[in-house]
Amino acid sequence: MLEIQEDSVISPKQWYREACLLGGFVCDPAQAAAIEELEVLWQQLVEFKHKRNQFLGHSLLSPNVPNGLYIWGGVGRGKTFLMDGFYHCLPYRRKRRIHFHSFIAEVHHEMKKLADQSDPLMALAEHIAHATRVLCLDEFHVEDIADAMILVRLLDVLLARGVVLLTTSNYAPDNLYPHGLQRQNFLPAIELLKRQLKVLSCDGEQDYRMMQKGRDALFMSGDDAAQHMAALFQRLTEGQTDPADRVEVGHGHISVRWSAREVVWFEFKELCGGNHDHADYLHIARHYHTVFLSDIPKMTRDNADEAKRFTWLIDVLYDNHVKLVANF
């Protein structure tokens, strides 16, 4: 990420132009098109803030809130990179950037705390809208019917209260929650996103995350892969090991091979099998800076559930800047 000084004001377009000059950076036409739209939104938000400050105390009227953006495309297309650049460029205090899985987990947690309210979801939505003008949600995706039903109302209230939403997703809006239970009840949320946000594709063939991983040589294969991983683990932990043989998470525990000095080693079947979810992976990401994962199998229809959890794991680790060392 190109660093931006706290007291400087730079637009997303300027930021991206400077990023293109960095060594190892690959300029991408789809990203450039997305930056143009982010530039427009940035200018609208800067103008909105200026006009609102002028209106305060002088008029009962208020300037119109800009519409947000929904940027979708395949994994590793740089959507998170672009969102982060926009977020750091935006001269707002009431802004928040959060991974969607963390956001929805937080929503569930806060609603439990507001259980004594007549309408916990409405109370939470009002609180979010009061604290946040611009909400950046990374990796928007819906898997669970409870999440789907919450989002129908939550998005409606947030957008109605003037929250500007910028979200990234691997899926176009019409492909969200594709085979979900009672999907017809989630369709109003999809239509709301399409109506209130400009939908932009940032698709392409190159996965830039895999390019970076390749340079870091964190993925190994072959007969000696496990030996190389063990040697790397010993170097990172300076030969230390934790006597604990498992990690406690929300859904019970996960067995580990080794752990020490905020480095942990899992078997694929332990981490991506069973009943683990995003919250479990978030717990791991918050407690370890490097995750070792061994014996990743070939993904087929027979292990589709494990493949889905593996995708969740990659997203959570990537978003929380946790290194992954794995062998196949």
Side-chain angles (χ1 to χ4, degrees):
M1 173 64 64
L2 181 66
E3 291 188 3
I4 300 172
Q5 299 299 321
E6 290 291 334
D7 57 349
S8 65
V9 177
I10 181 173
S11 75
K13 198 170 182 178
Q14 291 173 300
W15 165 81
Y16 187 74
R17 189 181 299 120
E18 293 182 18
C20 287
L21 300 177
L22 297 177
F25 189 90
V26 180
C27 292
D28 181 281
Q31 288 184 7
I35 278 292
E36 292 292 339
E37 295 297 337
L38 288 167
E39 177 81 6
V40 171
L41 178 58
W42 182 87
Q43 291 176 348
Q44 290 174 339
L45 284 167
V46 170
E47 183 179 357
F48 170 82
K49 183 179 181 181
H50 177 69
K51 287 183 177 180
R52 183 172 173 79
N53 289 340
Q54 287 184 322
F55 274 116
L56 290 176
H58 300 284
S59 173
L60 295 177
L61 299 175
S62 180
N64 293 327
V65 178
N67 289 336
L69 269 177
Y70 183 107
I71 303 176
W72 70 275
V75 296
R77 290 293 302 138
K79 302 182 298 296
T80 297
F81 170 73
L82 297 177
M83 170 181 279
D84 287 346
F86 173 87
Y87 179 84
H88 290 295
C89 289
L90 187 65
Y92 270 54
R93 291 184 179 180
R94 292 173 57 214
K95 62 179 180 178
R96 190 177 187 204
R97 186 264 189 226
I98 185 172
H99 193 281
F100 176 76
H101 300 322
S102 299
F103 176 74
I104 201 67
E106 185 178 284
V107 167
H108 284 286
H109 177 73
E110 293 299 320
M111 284 180 62
K112 289 180 181 178
K113 292 168 59 176
L114 295 169
D116 59 336
Q117 300 285 324
S118 59
D119 190 339
L121 181 57
M122 178 62 73
L124 176 59
E126 294 286 357
H127 172 75
I128 295 173
H130 178 75
T132 311
R133 170 63 71 185
V134 181
L135 178 60
C136 299
L137 292 179
D138 192 31
E139 298 289 352
F140 190 98
H141 187 44
V142 186
E143 290 277 354
D144 181 82
I145 185 173
D147 295 345
M149 296 304 98
I150 286 174
L151 287 167
V152 170
R153 291 188 61 208
L154 182 61
L155 291 174
D156 187 39
V157 175
L158 293 181
L159 293 174
R161 297 296 186 274
V163 175
V164 178
L165 180 62
L166 168 61
T167 184
T168 69
S169 178
N170 294 339
Y171 305 90
D174 286 329
N175 293 331
L176 289 170
Y177 197 47
H179 306 294
L181 189 64
Q182 299 179 21
R183 185 176 187 265
Q184 68 276 9
N185 294 331
F186 183 67
L187 295 180
I190 292 177
E191 293 305 315
L192 179 68
L193 289 172
K194 291 161 59 177
R195 184 171 64 252
Q196 297 281 6
L197 278 64
K198 183 167 186 177
V199 178
L200 180 68
S201 171
C202 187
D203 219 354
E205 297 180 357
Q206 181 61 61
D207 183 340
Y208 292 105
R209 294 192 304 186
M210 295 308 295
M211 288 177 63
Q212 182 63 46
K213 293 295 185 185
R215 287 197 296 271
D216 291 341
L218 298 179
F219 288 85
M220 307 177 188
S221 62
D223 296 336
D224 57 353
Q227 181 179 350
H228 287 310
M229 286 180 66
L232 178 57
F233 186 93
Q234 292 297 315
R235 288 202 302 273
L236 288 175
T237 61
E238 298 181 352
Q240 298 184 26
T241 55
D242 192 320
D245 60 356
R246 64 186 189 180
V247 172
E248 300 295 333
V249 293
H251 287 84
H253 65 269
I254 306 176
S255 298
V256 303
R257 178 182 290 189
W258 291 326
S259 67
R261 301 177 67 91
E262 299 182 1
V263 181
V264 63
W265 186 329
F266 297 99
E267 301 287 344
F268 178 87
K269 63 181 180 180
E270 295 291 341
L271 190 56
C272 297
N275 192 34
H276 304 304
D277 61 11
H278 301 110
D280 294 340
Y281 299 145
L282 279 169
H283 177 87
I284 292 169
R286 288 167 179 165
H287 288 81
Y288 300 95
H289 62 69
T290 303
V291 171
F292 281 63
L293 187 63
S294 56
D295 299 325
I296 300 175
K298 182 179 180 180
M299 303 300 173
T300 67
R301 292 182 179 179
D302 294 333
N303 58 4
D305 288 341
E306 289 83 356
K308 178 175 66 176
R309 293 189 191 95
F310 182 56
T311 301
W312 293 348
L313 174 68
I314 294 295
D315 282 341
V316 171
L317 296 184
Y318 178 79
D319 193 66
N320 287 274
H321 310 291
V322 177
K323 291 184 174 64
L324 176 65
V325 181
N327 78 334
F328 297 86

